[in-house]
Amino acid sequence: MKPLTEHDIRASFVNSTKGEAKRMHVPKDLGERPWDDLDFLGWTDPAAPDRSYLVIELDGRLTGIALRRAQQAGRARKTMCSWCLTTHSGDGVSLMSARKAGKSGQLGNTVGVYVCADLRCSLYLRGKKSAGPGSRFKESITVDEQVERMVSGVRAFLDRVNS
């Protein structure tokens, strides 16, 4: 992924108003992110841990979405991310919901997906970050193919947000 600026990020959101995009907390460490290892930029709002954001470039266009993290209830168990297939214990995977774009979102419609709570899927796939022993299964496909599968999952989710 190419490095992004704060302006690029704020202008990319499809399911937020301009005011919401202006008020969101953008990461202060954009210059230190491992851009070559990222397929999308994902982060949690430090002022509101139940809010997360994702920005990805698809077909030459940046698309950003605001996400809400569901509250975890019940006992800790292992759960697998739908995008990168990394298994986490406890609250490492969360149900993230996104308000749909346009009129549908204004009416309160949302879509959801179970993904890594820290949105660091790209780093898990490349072995740059670990969720602990046994969190990644040995796959017969290459890392590039795994990345392609993950990006396809993100694209499918964004298609649902935009439909």
Side-chain angles (χ1 to χ4, degrees), residues 24 39 52 79 99 107 112 118 139 142 150 152:
M24 76 176 56
D39 303 292
S52 295
T79 313
R99 183 173 61 209
L107 295 172
D118 62 4
E139 296 195 54
T142 67
M150 178 188 63
S152 292

Side-chain angles (χ1 to χ4, degrees), residues 33-121:
R33 295 283 172 140
W35 295 104
D36 291 340
D37 294 322
L38 297 180
D39 303 292
F40 60 84
L41 175 64
W43 74 98
T44 300
D45 188 328
D50 65 326
R51 280 191 224 148
S52 295
Y53 306 97
L54 180 145
V55 178
I56 189 168
E57 184 175 347
L58 295 171
D59 304 323
R61 193 175 130 227
L62 279 180
T63 302
I65 56 171
L67 301 159
R68 288 273 182 185
R69 181 177 176 180
Q71 295 298 317
Q72 298 289 88
R75 65 189 199 303
R77 61 178 183 253
K78 284 196 168 266
T79 313
M80 183 179 284
C81 173
S82 298
W83 291 340
C84 68
L85 305 184
T86 299
T87 304
H88 297 266
S89 295
D91 62 354
V93 170
S94 291
L95 172 62
M96 298 277 195
S97 62
R99 183 173 61 209
K100 293 187 81 166
K103 187 90 167 160
S104 183
Q106 292 170 355
L107 295 172
N109 294 314
T110 62
V111 293
V113 64
Y114 283 93
V115 295
C116 295
D118 62 4
L119 296 171
R120 302 289 173 113
C121 299

Side-chain angles (χ1 to χ4, degrees), residues 148-162:
E148 187 177 317
R149 178 184 62 207
M150 178 188 63
V151 171
S152 292
V154 175
R155 180 187 298 270
F157 184 69
L158 287 174
D159 287 347
R160 291 176 52 214
V161 169
N162 285 313

